[in-house]
Amino acid sequence: MTASTARRTPGPLPSLRRSTRRSPGRSPGPAAGRSADGPSADGLSAGPAPASIVRPSRLDGLDLARGLAVLGMVVAHLGPPHPDFDWARPDTWAAVVDGRSAVLFALCAGVSLTLMTRPRPASDPSDPSAPEDLVAHRRWVLVRAVALFVLGSLLTVLDTPVQVILPTYAVCFVATIPLLGARTRTVAGVAAAALVTGPVCTAVGRSVLHDASDPLVHGVLLGAYPGITWWGVVLVGLVVGRLPLRRTRVHLLLLATGIAAGVVGYGGGVLVRAALGLPPGDTSVSGSASTGSGTAGAGSAGAGSAGTSPAGAGPHLVPQGGGTVAHPGVDWAGLTSVQPHAGSTPEVVGALGVALAVLALGLLTARRAGVLLAPVRAVGALALSVYAAHIVVYAALDATGDGRWHSGWTATLLVVVGAGLVATPWRRWIGTGPLERLVRRTSRSLDGPGPRSRPH
């Protein structure tokens, strides 16, 4: 055999190289956008990664952002009443979490939804979740949404002043299902439309459905988390999740976009109100949260609580412009409010800008911070369990009949520190949180025979 013939004769080397690139059960790595230990749409993960999977492929920055969101909601709900946020007054800085933490939570949900349903490269024939399995992805999301709605309903039954976000979360998941396979331009267009029209629909709905007594109706349609507007936030996360989130250039772009959105949202709202002769701090629209911890002396319900009219008629608009308590008018001026949970386009866009900036900073710093931020990342990986636990703690504290805990930070600090102390070893040694595991198993319960769907 000549030298030229030997060069043309295929040897074992190519097959050996292929075999070393992918071993059975191993994820394709960062190119797939997630690992077997990656995040899911409700803040859970599939558990500890097998030894064959490289741990850094997980988006630690997303866990960090989600952890900050959950801890921010704990502070907003359990913390004492405080004045509105003012840069010049350190005693008001705790108010920065009001409203914005929930928006960050929903943004991370959209990002995780993309990572959970994004198909792996079609070149991998052994992957059971190739692009043609979009139906399976939609089924997972639908069943997961039902599980979250049931869990949110159970937390609502505890009758705390906190308005639970999970029912709205579930409705947004269901509404997102038709767009999982849509083009990014289409998703972005629908998100923009929802952010613009959602506040108007909510304002009109609060007038039409002012006498609705079901707390879930108020929560999903009229309260602090109106479905249409928050669907827009989740869709923005869906778009962000399609970006190459491991590139520093993308992180910087998200940071710049977040800062710009914050300036346009909050600054634009203030300018419009000034042009209309309205006070910048007006809270007439915030029937969804005007009695939360973000308003000085207004109560202890937290930023996600439901406000009331002067007659205590429930979480709908305070009458404006000729309306009555029985038949409130539509508060059009409230559509320019920039107060937390106002639900107006300026407020949501501004809060979304803050959320994008926090996510970008999390992606930039998560790995560099290392052990320092590990407890916050662990809370983010067990976000659903921690969120539900803090609602239960709130109900338990209220059941004691001692309202003194409302006026101090002791309960808040205990829950925040306790969440980190429990979540860190749990994440390290057990993996998936209890509620995360339950929701994931429920969403996979309808999987048919054959190769099991991959963790996400």
Side-chain angles (χ1 to χ4, degrees):
M1 182 170 60
T2 64
S4 59
T5 305
R7 284 195 297 269
R8 292 193 301 267
T9 303
L13 186 56
S15 61
L16 289 176
R17 286 177 178 170
R18 285 193 297 269
S19 65
T20 58
R21 289 172 188 163
R22 188 188 306 113
S23 59
R26 179 170 181 174
S27 71
R34 60 186 177 281
S35 71
D37 192 27
S40 68
D42 46 27
L44 61 88
S45 65
S52 61
I53 295 179
V54 181
R55 178 65 179 85
S57 63
R58 182 178 177 87
L59 280 176
D60 288 336
L62 182 59
D63 280 338
L64 177 59
R66 191 188 293 108
L68 291 173
V70 174
L71 295 178
M73 286 189 285
V74 170
V75 172
H77 297 155
L78 298 180
H82 46 258
D84 292 337
F85 178 76
D86 186 348
W87 283 108
R89 297 179 54 190
D91 62 310
T92 68
W93 287 357
V96 74
V97 300
D98 293 343
R100 301 171 186 89
S101 297
V103 173
L104 177 59
F105 197 46
L107 177 72
C108 291
V111 176
S112 297
L113 200 60
T114 298
L115 301 183
M116 183 180 74
T117 58
R118 178 188 294 170
R120 291 187 175 181
S123 58
D124 187 359
S126 64
D127 192 341
S129 294
E132 63 269 15
D133 285 333
L134 181 60
V135 173
H137 293 160
R138 289 172 172 169
R139 183 178 67 246
W140 299 342
V141 174
L142 178 60
V143 178
R144 191 179 298 266
V146 172
L148 290 175
F149 192 89
V150 172
L151 176 60
S153 301
L154 293 176
L155 293 176
T156 301
V157 170
L158 295 178
D159 198 26
T160 65
V162 178
Q163 185 161 306
V164 180
I165 194 176
L166 296 183
T168 298
Y169 213 34
V171 171
C172 290
F173 276 26
V174 174
T176 303
I177 289 175
L179 296 174
L180 292 179
R183 294 186 302 175
T184 301
R185 182 181 303 177
T186 301
V187 178
V190 175
L195 293 175
V196 172
T197 63
V200 178
C201 295
T202 301
V204 175
R206 284 171 176 162
S207 178
V208 175
L209 301 176
H210 61 89
D211 58 350
S213 59
D214 191 326
L216 292 178
V217 173
H218 281 299
V220 175
L221 298 179
L222 313 177
Y225 312 114
I228 298 176
T229 305
W230 284 75
W231 182 42
V233 176
V234 172
L235 291 180
V236 171
L238 200 69
V239 172
V240 172
R242 296 181 179 186
L243 300 175
L245 293 178
R246 302 183 186 280
R247 298 181 182 177
T248 302
R249 181 179 299 179
V250 174
H251 303 165
L252 297 176
L253 176 62
L254 284 176
L255 179 60
T257 302
I259 294 174
V263 171
V264 170
Y266 291 128
V270 171
L271 291 177
V272 170
R273 293 187 69 83
L276 295 175
L278 299 171
D282 178 63
T283 57
S284 63
V285 75
S286 55
S288 59
S290 61
T291 60
S293 61
T295 303
S300 58
S305 61
T308 58
S309 68
H316 56 67
L317 287 173
V318 176
Q320 297 289 322
T324 66
V325 172
H327 301 284
V330 177
D331 183 15
W332 299 110
L335 294 176
T336 62
S337 175
V338 294
Q339 296 300 303
H341 288 292
S344 66
T345 297
E347 185 267 331
V348 175
V349 170
L352 187 56
V354 174
L356 286 171
V358 171
L359 176 59
L361 291 174
L363 293 170
L364 282 168
T365 62
R367 293 185 184 179
R368 295 176 177 87
V371 179
L372 182 63
L373 295 177
V376 182
R377 294 200 306 269
V379 170
L382 277 66
L384 184 61
S385 295
V386 174
Y387 177 84
H390 100 276
I391 302 292
V392 174
V393 169
Y394 195 117
L397 290 173
D398 264 359
T400 63
D402 185 359
R404 289 179 296 177
W405 70 271
H406 285 304
S407 60
W409 288 100
T410 302
T412 306
L413 293 177
L414 287 176
V415 173
V416 169
V417 174
L421 292 177
V422 172
T424 302
W426 186 294
R427 177 64 184 155
R428 176 67 178 85
W429 300 109
I430 301 178
T432 307
L435 291 181
E436 285 81 359
R437 190 181 302 273
L438 175 63
V439 172
R440 178 175 178 270
R441 287 183 176 178
T442 302
S443 67
R444 303 303 173 87
S445 62
L446 299 181
D447 284 352
R452 295 293 295 175
S453 54
R454 69 186 183 285
H456 49 273

